[in-house]
Structure formats: C-alpha cells, structure tokens
Amino acid sequence: MFLPLRRLAGEISAPLRRSLRTAASRPPWAMVYKKPELNASGAPPPGRQRASLDLNEAPCVSQLSVPADLAYPEAAGSVRAASCDGLLLLDFADTRQFPPAVRKLCHKSLLHEMAVSGDGAQLDVARFVCNPLSGQLLRLPAPDTDAAKMGTAPFGLLTQSPEASHGPPDRFVVAQLGREGDSSSRVVRRYLSDAGEWDERELLAPSTAPAWLAMQIDTDHEVLAFGDRLWWVDLSLGVCSVDPFSDRPEHRFVQLPDCSALPASETGGLALAGSPMLSRYRRLGVSEGKLRYVQLRNIQQPFQIGSFSLDVETWSWTLDHAIKIAETSPDHIFNAPWIAAIDPFKANVMYLQHGGHVVALDMGKGEEIWRSPLPDTIARQMKRRSRLFLPCVLPAWLASSYIPGTLASNKANSKRKTLAEMLVRVGQKN
C-alpha cells in the first residue's frame, strides 16, 4: 500500500493549537516534549514547588514546566520515563560540574544537550517523580553511589496499585540496570517508595537468554513500563524485562523481529546498526495492552514501515501492519520521516516527525489523519536529538491523586483503609 507523505504545510491545513485543561475535555494521553521548560517567574518556597503541563491533544505537543530553581542553577532537565498510569520521572543534571575548559568552549545550550544525552556521566543528577496534572513533585534521595558507577544506563518508573484495583497506585519503584563494581555481574539499582531508600539486587540471568550478554541498552530510548515489569531497549538487538519490585529479579530477553536486521543495501548505504541514527527509525511502545515495535525498514523512497506486536505467551512477534509511503521532495534520504510515538490507545495509529511537523498516520487504512506543526524551538532540536517525545497516559483520577510515599498519599491511603474496614464491619453485622 502506497501512501503519499505530503511535505508542504500548505497542502493540508494545520490544526489550531488548543490547550485542553478541564477534565471534561482532557485527552486520554499526551505526547510530552522531553525537555521541560524552566520557569523562572516566582520562586515558591522549598517543599511547595509544583510543575505545570501545557496540555494539548496529539499530534500537538504537550510541554511540562518546572521551577527554574528546582534542582541546581543551570540544570539540564529531561523527562526520562512514564509509568503506565501517568506519573513521570524527571532528572536534572548539574552542568556546573563540566570541566572549566568545556564550559568555556561550549554554549550553555550545548552543555545542556551533552548532559541530557549522557555525555556528562560524571555529573550529579537530581531525580523527581512528577504528577503532570496535579503538579506534585517528589524529589528522590541521591543513591549512595558515585556518578561514575551509575553510568549512563537509563532509569525506569513502575507503579503498583492495591490488589484488584485499577485506581491510583500505592507504591512505585525507580530502577536502573547496572554493573556491580568493576565486575561483569548485572544488578538492579532501585528506589522503593515504601522503603524510602535505594538498594541493589543481583540480576539473575537464565541460561536460555545468551543474547543478553551482547545487549547494549539504548540511552536515548525510554525504559518502558508494561505489565508488572520494566523493559530496557537495545534497538539493534532486543528488549530485556525485569520485575524491579522483586528481591530476586530475573530478566527475560526478547529479540527483535528477524527482519529488523538492516543491511547496507536497504539503508541507502548507511550502516544504521549501532548508530544514533537507529533511534530515529525504530520505536517500542505500549498500546492496547501489548508491547509494540515499529520500524522504518529503509531510508530511500518508497519508505517501508512495519508494525509488530509481542505475544507474551509465546514471546514471539506478529507483523500487524506493513505499508509504503512516498514523499514529494527529491532529497528523500534527508527527508525520511522519524518515528515519534505509538498511540497508547489505538495500536494502528503512529506518529511521525516529518520536517517541522508531527504526522498522525493510520497504519491500518494507510491514511494520514492529522498533521501539526512543531514550535520552532522544538523543531530546531531535531538537528541534535532523535528522541523528542514521550507518550504519557492520563487516567481520569490522575489529577486528584497523590504520588505514593508522600505525606498526602499516606493520609489518603489511611482514609481508604479506614473506609474499607468500616464497610467490612458493616457487612459482617448484616
């Protein structure tokens, strides 16, 4: 199936940018720009800092704003991960710790990009869990581990709700896959909200997954929260999942579909495997209760896009959609679309970054649904970063819920338990 991908903004009317803030009109998810805006207006007292979300319906981009003095002066901020129920994991690197020679040679914006991309592995980092709708922020204590040992491996955020509940979570874990000292042994480095502290657990590796040894975790792809596990991504090989709540975490490895090998003959002579360019053309996400994988098979016209879903019973991939799209501009190699996001609620809908626009594409029908222009400040980042957006679901109860582990959350949980106990006693009397 061929689908013309129109380049000129005049060929399709761009939708007006609408800010949706009321519960009645709030979209079910947001495509969040991964660089939060630092708001320097009005410095609230410590403990009362709040974030705010300029919320728009995808493919329009939503952006988070936080107080400029939230972590460090001249901090480089990033939205790193999202839980399956809408909480965000933020980090802020202290760019003042770059060597003086680097600070002198590099512009402030470049220092920020270096810190966010992992080039500042030795920098101190402050991490926060954020409720994007209520604005609540929870700063995590610093791990009892130096920055060099932490490395650049990404952190993920996973939540748990009370048994048989689909409401607000009562605990969360922030976790990283790392190494134990200088050895080759892998560990899960984690912060548990109910313990209120960091610890490390040895990662158990089953002999059935030898490919794990060759895995190189992609620092530019977010860690996915799916089911009761976190999923770390190697876009050239596969995904590794772990239950970070377990005291004996065991990893499971799933290789990407066989067709994910990208020989030079299919990539316009570019060796994408192991290259940062790979993150432009491959993406994993969660939609309609399944782990999804989307890839651009080539960067020459016509562009071939395939969409797969993972069967967790057989741990095998199924090809759901395969389409071809053509673009009208002759300089097609440089105008190959980038994969921006997978719709969390419509598995057949994906979002492409194309020029200065985000395009919503229906893979099932082979139709362009909607197109939205990117703000200039974000479009310029495409020259520096491949992964600009993070899907974040927004449950109806999110705006009125609290982050687990905070005082407000503990009070709310206590009230819920008291009410449940009263209902049980009433039932017993009847």
Side-chain angles (χ1 to χ4, degrees):
M1 178 182 295
F2 283 88
L3 172 66
L5 186 61
R6 291 162 292 196
R7 176 173 174 77
L8 299 178
E11 294 179 355
I12 183 170
S13 58
L16 294 176
R17 188 171 180 269
R18 298 166 297 174
S19 182
L20 305 176
R21 297 185 181 277
T22 65
S25 60
R26 188 166 62 231
W29 72 285
M31 191 161 64
V32 178
Y33 180 41
K34 294 182 71 172
K35 184 178 181 180
E37 182 180 10
L38 301 181
N39 184 5
S41 62
R48 299 189 63 182
Q49 297 101 330
R50 303 194 79 79
S52 62
L53 181 66
D54 182 10
L55 180 58
N56 296 281
E57 185 175 2
C60 293
V61 177
S62 300
Q63 185 167 20
L64 193 73
S65 298
V66 299
D69 61 344
L70 184 62
Y72 310 107
E74 302 180 25
S78 182
V79 183
R80 289 298 187 182
S83 71
C84 57
D85 43 22
L87 296 182
L88 296 175
L89 178 63
L90 318 178
D91 72 26
F92 297 87
D94 188 356
T95 61
R96 298 172 301 173
Q97 294 180 334
F98 277 114
V102 174
R103 290 174 55 83
K104 183 177 181 179
L105 290 173
C106 298
H107 188 269
K108 178 180 177 180
S109 61
L110 181 56
L111 291 177
H112 283 210
E113 293 305 320
M114 292 169 59
V116 168
S117 64
D119 292 335
Q122 308 299 319
L123 305 182
D124 287 339
V125 176
R127 294 180 177 84
F128 294 79
V129 175
C130 172
N131 181 325
L133 295 187
S134 71
Q136 186 186 16
L137 291 160
L138 172 64
R139 183 167 184 166
L140 306 184
D144 187 20
T145 306
D146 59 47
K149 183 179 177 182
M150 298 285 285
T152 60
F155 286 79
L157 172 63
L158 186 67
T159 58
Q160 279 188 352
S161 298
E163 189 174 355
S165 168
H166 297 287
D170 61 356
R171 64 193 302 232
F172 72 82
V173 59
V174 172
Q176 178 197 44
L177 292 188
R179 296 189 182 276
E180 187 175 11
D182 297 329
S183 71
S184 59
S185 299
R186 300 271 186 168
V187 297
V188 177
R189 188 173 293 117
R190 64 183 186 174
Y191 173 85
L192 292 166
S193 63
D194 41 5
E197 60 184 14
W198 292 85
D199 67 12
E200 290 185 1
R201 297 290 174 173
E202 180 183 0
L203 182 62
L204 306 178
S207 59
T208 55
W212 156 255
L213 299 177
M215 185 174 180
Q216 296 182 354
I217 297 173
D218 191 327
T219 59
D220 200 29
H221 197 296
E222 69 273 13
V223 181
L224 299 169
F226 171 56
D228 58 355
R229 305 175 74 83
L230 288 176
W231 300 69
W232 282 265
V233 178
D234 179 343
L235 289 171
S236 66
L237 187 61
V239 287
C240 167
S241 70
V242 174
D243 175 6
F245 284 108
S246 173
D247 289 336
R248 291 179 53 82
E250 180 175 313
H251 92 267
R252 298 175 186 168
F253 178 81
V254 182
Q255 192 165 340
L256 292 178
D258 293 338
C259 63
S260 293
L262 292 175
S265 60
E266 295 190 14
T267 60
L270 295 176
L272 295 183
S275 164
M277 290 185 65
L278 198 61
S279 62
R280 302 177 182 178
Y281 308 121
R282 295 181 174 185
R283 179 94 191 202
L284 283 98
V286 178
S287 181
E288 294 186 19
K290 288 188 176 182
L291 191 69
R292 311 278 175 173
Y293 169 63
V294 178
Q295 66 170 4
L296 184 73
R297 283 283 296 148
N298 63 330
I299 57 173
Q300 289 183 334
Q301 292 203 51
F303 307 122
Q304 304 173 38
I305 301 179
S307 174
F308 301 80
S309 60
L310 180 66
D311 185 335
V312 294
E313 298 289 335
T314 62
W315 296 99
S316 60
W317 296 96
T318 299
L319 177 63
D320 297 320
H321 302 289
I323 65 172
K324 296 180 180 180
I325 59 177
E327 197 253 334
T328 57
S329 176
D331 55 342
H332 46 77
I333 289 182
F334 299 100
N335 289 320
W338 299 2
I339 299 171
I342 301 171
D343 192 304
F345 295 96
K346 299 176 182 178
N348 61 310
V349 176
M350 61 173 292
Y351 296 84
L352 304 175
Q353 292 167 231
H354 187 239
H357 293 74
V358 175
V359 179
L361 181 66
D362 188 322
M363 294 281 288
K365 297 179 179 179
E367 294 178 356
E368 179 181 313
I369 305 171
W370 201 13
R371 173 180 296 229
S372 173
L374 288 170
D376 291 341
T377 53
I378 297 180
R380 287 195 293 267
Q381 293 296 319
M382 292 181 64
K383 299 178 181 178
R384 298 178 179 175
R385 301 179 64 186
S386 301
R387 192 78 62 193
L388 297 179
F389 310 115
L390 181 73
C392 177
V393 299
L394 304 171
W397 43 257
L398 183 61
S400 59
S401 65
Y402 300 100
I403 298 173
T406 61
L407 180 59
S409 173
N410 294 338
K411 290 181 178 178
N413 289 336
S414 177
K415 289 181 179 179
R416 282 197 293 266
K417 290 178 181 178
T418 302
L419 178 59
E421 291 170 355
M422 290 175 59
L423 292 175
V424 169
R425 286 197 294 268
V426 171
Q428 290 174 345
K429 290 180 180 180
N430 294 335

